[in-house]
Amino acid sequence: MIFSLDEIHSIVTKTTTFEEFEEKLENHWNQHVDGKSIVIAGETIENGYQECLMEQVDSLDLSQLKSALWIDFNCPSKEDLERLEEKLGLHPLTVEDVREEAREKIESFENYLFIIVRQIDISSEGSNQISPFNINIIIFHNLIITIHYHVLECINQVYYRLEQHRLLHQKIIPTSDWILHSVLDSLVDIFVIYVDAISREAEALDELVLVFNSDVQNDLLRRIGSARRILTSLRSHVWSIKELLSTLNAKEHSFLTQETRIHLRDMLENTKEHKSGKENSFVSQETRIYLRDVLDNTVKMEEKLHNAKEMVNNLHSTYLARISVEVAEYSNQVNKIVKKFGAVATIFIPLTLIAGLFGMNVKVPGRDDDTYAGFLVIVIGSFLFSIICLFIFVRAGWF
């Protein structure tokens, strides 16, 4: 069973911390879906799609396709890529980028369009490290090939959409760029799940920083640092996918390099079949309409990440302000205690001085007096002095 991203999103939005989100997402993620090595999907395939071997791909006549076909490679070997390069006429740099997991980009060649996008995964083992996984997309007319080296959720979601589309329309793949849209849309939906989670984490930290105590201080600082690190990485990945989608949605973009244009112009001149103003495009205008909707989602995510980033950055100053307030409160308490000790010392130091003077082993007034008059005068005087001092300190607010 494959969970839809909407179902996963509704489940993980009930979490309260980012750690809980990671744990729940891992439990409901479709990682149990076995990654097949090579899958072919198309109109002529029984049940929509099937697992196959590289030999079966070699036997396909890809030049005479009458309907759309999708071939998904999971962890292809070096030999598989070489055979694919020879069969489809791929540029050596394309194969090199697939092997080395290059950056996200779009490259146009004479007969195909090469796109690299990335799905992210956040480690749930306490490190909160974002791990990007490349998805290489090679799109021809009526043929699209995806190559990746991990079992990826966005590819699982494309299988899910294929099943839903086949049940509704009795047609497995409308066009090759329909698969392209499904991959990109699923990819952005996965980003939405992470962006919503980190936005909720930023809001929770903004509330927690005002009410925390010393018991959760270390945990708060750890969560702030983790949120800042994840936000920085997410913003970088969202910006990359937004730029890629903007390029795909460019109205006048033809996906043809200058070198290819020169080559095509020479071919047209040789055959005298020049058609001015028309260039080859691998993404239809209808698909671009749907891709604009995907682009809108990335713009919304970028705004959310910007707001969350500002919120997390402000947490540091809020945290320092809260610490300053607590230090000031503690200093005030210490000052009150010191004042009380000072008041007590002010009362008892004179009494101690009097007792010390009359207790010296020398001639002092009243030593030869056999009555208790001197003693009573000293005791009563000390008591009255203490009462007066205590009254003054109470009026002054020292007690």
Side-chain angles (χ1 to χ4, degrees), residues 201-298:
E201 175 75 354
E203 292 173 359
L205 291 174
D206 188 54
E207 296 177 359
L208 184 61
V209 76
L210 299 175
V211 297
F212 79 96
N213 52 44
S214 58
D215 296 334
V216 297
Q217 180 175 344
N218 292 334
D219 181 65
L220 176 65
L221 292 176
R222 179 187 60 80
R223 288 175 63 180
I224 291 176
S226 177
R228 183 180 288 113
R229 183 169 58 252
I230 292 172
L231 277 169
T232 301
S233 184
L234 274 177
R235 289 187 71 187
S236 173
H237 288 290
V238 169
W239 181 86
S240 297
I241 191 69
K242 190 192 80 168
E243 291 298 309
L244 187 143
L245 286 167
S246 298
T247 304
L248 282 173
N249 280 285
K251 293 182 179 180
E252 302 300 328
H253 192 80
S254 63
F255 304 110
L256 296 180
T257 61
Q258 186 64 28
E259 181 181 356
T260 303
R261 289 195 183 100
I262 295 173
H263 178 69
L264 286 177
R265 188 160 54 244
D266 292 340
M267 292 176 61
L268 290 169
E269 288 177 355
N270 292 335
T271 58
K272 297 182 180 181
E273 294 178 358
H274 180 70
K275 298 179 182 179
S276 61
K278 292 185 179 179
E279 291 181 323
N280 189 18
S281 177
F282 297 95
V283 180
S284 65
Q285 189 63 34
E286 182 181 358
T287 302
R288 285 178 183 168
I289 295 174
Y290 290 98
L291 288 176
R292 283 201 296 269
D293 180 66
V294 181
L295 177 61
D296 289 341
N297 289 334
T298 62

Side-chain angles (χ1 to χ4, degrees), residues 48-315:
Y49 57 86
Q50 67 180 24
E51 186 178 7
C52 66
L53 301 174
M54 190 63 200
E55 288 73 14
Q56 294 172 269
V57 177
D58 284 336
S59 65
L60 293 173
D61 187 3
L62 301 179
S63 62
Q64 301 296 328
L65 292 176
K66 296 181 179 180
S67 59
L69 187 69
W70 172 36
I71 306 177
D72 179 46
F73 289 85
N74 181 30
C75 298
S77 63
K78 181 180 179 181
E79 292 74 18
D80 290 340
L81 292 178
E82 290 175 350
R83 293 164 70 177
L84 195 64
E85 176 186 0
E86 181 179 356
K87 182 174 181 62
L88 299 177
L90 300 179
H91 196 283
L93 290 178
T94 300
V95 179
E96 181 181 342
D97 287 340
V98 171
R99 290 174 181 166
E100 297 180 356
E101 299 196 1
R103 63 176 179 84
E104 294 171 294
K105 61 181 178 179
I106 297 179
E107 288 185 345
S108 57
F109 295 87
E110 182 177 346
N111 60 337
Y112 67 91
L113 179 66
F114 180 49
I115 303 174
I116 300 178
V117 292
R118 286 178 176 175
Q119 179 186 311
I120 62 169
D121 184 30
I122 300 180
S123 173
S124 60
E125 298 178 355
S127 59
N128 294 131
Q129 295 294 329
I130 291 183
S131 303
F133 302 110
N134 276 20
I135 307 169
N136 305 277
I137 305 172
I138 306 172
I139 180 170
F140 298 81
H141 290 292
N142 289 333
L143 173 65
I144 183 168
I145 297 172
T146 53
I147 304 172
H148 49 94
Y149 289 90
H150 301 83
V151 178
L152 299 178
E153 182 61 28
C154 65
I155 300 297
N156 290 337
Q157 290 300 316
V158 176
Y159 291 144
Y160 177 84
R161 294 188 181 196
L162 285 176
E163 289 291 343
Q164 299 301 313
H165 192 272
R166 185 165 65 89
L167 292 175
L168 292 175
H169 304 283
Q170 301 299 319
K171 191 174 183 181
I172 186 68
I173 303 178
T175 59
S176 58
D177 53 3
W178 185 91
I179 293 290
L180 174 64
H181 167 263
S182 297
V183 172
L184 296 178
D185 191 34
S186 299
L187 189 67
V188 170
D189 286 344
I190 291 172
F191 274 102
V192 169
I193 294 176
Y194 284 110
V195 170
D196 285 349
I198 198 63
S199 297
R200 291 194 304 273
E201 175 75 354
E203 292 173 359
L205 291 174
D206 188 54
E207 296 177 359
L208 184 61
V209 76
L210 299 175
V211 297
F212 79 96
N213 52 44
S214 58
D215 296 334
V216 297
Q217 180 175 344
N218 292 334
D219 181 65
L220 176 65
L221 292 176
R222 179 187 60 80
R223 288 175 63 180
I224 291 176
S226 177
R228 183 180 288 113
R229 183 169 58 252
I230 292 172
L231 277 169
T232 301
S233 184
L234 274 177
R235 289 187 71 187
S236 173
H237 288 290
V238 169
W239 181 86
S240 297
I241 191 69
K242 190 192 80 168
E243 291 298 309
L244 187 143
L245 286 167
S246 298
T247 304
L248 282 173
N249 280 285
K251 293 182 179 180
E252 302 300 328
H253 192 80
S254 63
F255 304 110
L256 296 180
T257 61
Q258 186 64 28
E259 181 181 356
T260 303
R261 289 195 183 100
I262 295 173
H263 178 69
L264 286 177
R265 188 160 54 244
D266 292 340
M267 292 176 61
L268 290 169
E269 288 177 355
N270 292 335
T271 58
K272 297 182 180 181
E273 294 178 358
H274 180 70
K275 298 179 182 179
S276 61
K278 292 185 179 179
E279 291 181 323
N280 189 18
S281 177
F282 297 95
V283 180
S284 65
Q285 189 63 34
E286 182 181 358
T287 302
R288 285 178 183 168
I289 295 174
Y290 290 98
L291 288 176
R292 283 201 296 269
D293 180 66
V294 181
L295 177 61
D296 289 341
N297 289 334
T298 62
V299 174
K300 291 178 183 177
M301 284 193 294
E302 199 169 41
E303 292 173 354
K304 276 189 176 181
L305 288 174
H306 176 74
N307 294 335
K309 183 74 173 178
E310 291 294 322
M311 194 177 297
V312 171
N313 288 338
N314 292 334
L315 289 178

